[in-house]
Amino acid sequence: VKLKPADDPVQGVPQGVVESLLFKGVHYEMKVRVGDSVLLVHSTHARPVGTQVKLTVAPEDIQVMRKSDYSPAAGRARVRGAAMKKNKALAVPFVLWAVLFIAVPLAMVVWYGVTVEETPAYVEVAGDNGQTLFQLEDGTVTAERPQKRTAVSLANFRRMLEPTYLKLLLRSLKIALFTTIICLLLGYPVALILSGRDFKRPGLWLMLIILPMWMNFLLRTYSWMSILENSGILNSWIASLRGAIPAFDRWLTSMGVGKKIIFLYNEKAVVLGMVYNYLSFMIMPIYTVIEKTDHSLLEAAADLGASPVQSFLRVTLPYSLPGVLEGITMVFVPAVTTFVISQLMGGGKVPLIGDIIQNQFGKSSDWHFGSTLSLLVMVVVLAFMGGLQRIDKEEEPRKEVRIL
């Protein structure tokens, strides 16, 4: 839309009056009344309110709107609507991915978990011509052997509550809890040191922390097995020290330690393997949160007479809590469900709930009971994550108070 003065000699163009003028930063927005209509005009040239103007309009630029459509609120609504349409279009690939790889598999797990495969009870009977027939419980006689059928049942849930499986679940939770606590005790100081303003080259150290994650998970676990096994590197070094230092050998013997120290195939070895594999998952989120914390808060605390311990407890710790909770989640969840570490470093002597689930889907081929156990673990994990989220929400309003 081009504005021209009212006395412009161009004929055959609409003439109107400027009713409002608003500067938009790079252009002016004016409402021009032409007869019974109001035109919303954008122009780099301003015309005072009440000025008579003529307008030349290109046909492709004309947009008919209701009176309510050219209010500021309506304009913002149109912008939001256009943005929502664009965002919806961008979300289509994610929605498809979520449906195919999250919703559908989860629905399958739930279906298998609440169903069982059962073969109807029958008795073999002889027919008139010597043919073998099959009589079902309801008295029906058929010539075909009854086949397995899928039926909705809660039998697997009752089986899940047997002491054997509950003990495995408690052991899994215990080991996962120990692993999470050790990772937190080791990871928080590392993240705190790396995020310090005086620490040089934190990026290099972060790369060294992440570097093992670039290798295959099984390869890292087998590397620890080669170090800790009876004929491994660690036992070889200890044997060499025993031979070189007789006093050291006598001390180990008095402690009841044999010639070969058994490091593998126990709960301690499983915890060690988990800590090694999941420690970086604890360090990274804590480091990210602490590194983004405003250091002027620590300076203000020091100016107000707070000691380093008080500054840590009232500033650093509250603000790092989201990273701590995220790290706990990233360590605890895979630690509860793992089965590779327990099979390799536990040698099958420390079975966890993940081992039982993997066995149901593998050797036992009982997908129904395996799905039921998976639902049990899922409920436990969701309850744990819900508890952490609640702690985070309760802690958020207290941050400012603690700083004061």
Side-chain angles (χ1 to χ4, degrees):
V1 178
K2 295 181 179 179
L3 297 180
K4 294 181 178 298
D7 57 353
D8 192 278
V10 178
Q11 301 296 324
V13 296
Q15 181 172 334
V17 180
V18 177
E19 289 190 342
S20 67
L21 174 65
L22 182 64
F23 182 59
K24 290 290 188 177
V26 294
H27 67 277
Y28 294 93
E29 181 180 280
M30 290 168 281
K31 291 179 183 178
V32 181
R33 178 170 293 279
V34 180
D36 295 334
S37 302
V38 176
L39 301 180
L40 187 66
V41 179
H42 291 172
S43 175
T44 55
H45 301 284
R47 296 290 187 269
V49 175
T51 305
Q52 294 280 342
V53 295
K54 288 183 178 180
L55 302 94
T56 57
V57 185
E60 62 271 13
D61 292 334
I62 297 176
Q63 182 179 3
V64 180
M65 298 181 291
R66 297 184 301 273
K67 184 176 181 180
S68 60
D69 290 341
Y70 52 78
S71 64
R76 290 191 295 268
R78 289 195 302 273
V79 173
R80 287 195 300 268
M84 289 181 64
K85 289 181 180 179
K86 184 177 180 181
N87 292 338
K88 287 181 179 179
L90 293 175
V92 169
F94 170 76
V95 172
L96 293 176
W97 186 91
V99 170
L100 290 176
F101 298 103
I102 298 179
V104 173
L106 182 59
M108 293 177 62
V109 170
V110 173
W111 169 251
Y112 276 105
V114 298
T115 57
V116 294
E117 283 189 353
E118 57 183 11
T119 302
Y122 64 89
V123 178
E124 295 185 3
V125 296
D128 297 336
N129 56 357
Q131 181 185 6
T132 301
L133 301 177
F134 305 94
Q135 183 178 2
L136 303 180
E137 289 182 332
D138 58 2
T140 305
V141 179
T142 176
E144 296 181 357
R145 185 183 299 274
Q147 302 297 322
K148 288 184 178 181
R149 63 186 180 186
T150 301
V152 177
S153 174
L154 299 179
N156 284 329
F157 287 90
R158 291 190 292 269
R159 179 183 173 189
M160 175 186 67
L161 298 177
E162 294 179 1
T164 301
Y165 302 109
L166 292 180
K167 287 180 180 179
L168 290 175
L169 177 61
L170 292 177
R171 175 190 288 172
S172 302
L173 293 175
K174 180 186 70 173
I175 292 180
L177 181 61
F178 286 164
T179 301
T180 304
I181 293 174
I182 294 173
C183 286
L184 179 60
L185 294 177
L186 295 176
Y188 197 99
V190 172
L192 192 62
I193 293 172
L194 292 178
S195 61
R197 303 177 93 181
D198 298 330
F199 190 82
K200 297 181 180 180
R201 297 182 179 180
L204 175 62
W205 289 97
L206 287 174
M207 186 189 70
L208 294 176
I209 292 173
I210 301 174
L211 189 61
M213 306 302 297
W214 296 355
M215 294 186 295
N216 183 270
F217 182 85
L218 288 175
L219 180 60
R220 300 198 305 269
T221 306
Y222 276 117
S223 298
W224 270 105
M225 292 181 65
S226 65
I227 294 174
L228 301 177
E229 62 184 358
N230 292 342
S231 58
I233 299 173
L234 187 57
N235 263 311
S236 299
W237 286 354
I238 294 176
S240 300
L241 288 175
R242 281 182 141 180
I245 307 175
F248 179 64
D249 179 56
R250 290 193 298 269
W251 177 73
L252 289 179
T253 303
S254 64
M255 298 292 292
V257 178
K259 294 298 182 182
K260 297 291 183 180
I261 303 177
I262 301 176
F263 293 107
L264 289 175
Y265 313 134
N266 51 54
E267 288 190 4
K268 296 178 182 178
V270 175
V271 172
L272 174 62
M274 290 185 181
V275 169
Y276 172 73
N277 281 287
Y278 302 141
L279 180 59
S280 58
F281 295 157
M282 181 68 74
I283 295 175
M284 294 307 300
I286 298 177
Y287 167 79
T288 302
V289 173
I290 296 179
E291 197 272 336
K292 292 181 179 179
T293 302
D294 189 357
H295 289 277
S296 62
L297 295 175
L298 296 174
E299 296 174 356
D303 293 339
L304 293 173
S307 65
V309 175
Q310 291 175 323
S311 297
F312 171 77
L313 294 177
R314 297 196 176 191
V315 179
T316 304
L317 185 59
Y319 272 85
S320 65
L321 187 60
V324 171
L325 297 179
E326 184 178 351
I328 290 174
T329 302
M330 295 178 65
V331 172
F332 183 82
V333 173
V336 169
T337 57
T338 187
F339 61 90
V340 174
I341 297 176
S342 57
Q343 288 182 356
L344 296 179
M345 301 193 72
K349 297 180 180 180
V350 190
L352 304 178
I353 194 68
D355 297 278
I356 303 302
I357 294 175
Q358 188 269 342
N359 184 64
Q360 297 302 315
F361 284 96
K363 296 179 181 179
S364 299
S365 297
D366 190 353
W367 288 25
H368 298 273
F369 186 55
S371 298
T372 304
L373 291 176
S374 300
L375 291 176
L376 171 64
V377 175
M378 189 184 307
V379 169
V380 172
V381 170
L382 289 177
F384 177 79
M385 295 177 64
L388 292 182
Q389 187 175 11
R390 183 174 180 179
I391 293 174
D392 190 22
K393 288 183 178 180
E394 291 179 352
E395 195 69 22
E396 186 68 26
R398 302 178 186 174
K399 289 181 179 178
E400 299 298 332
V401 177
R402 287 189 175 183
I403 295 174
L404 295 175

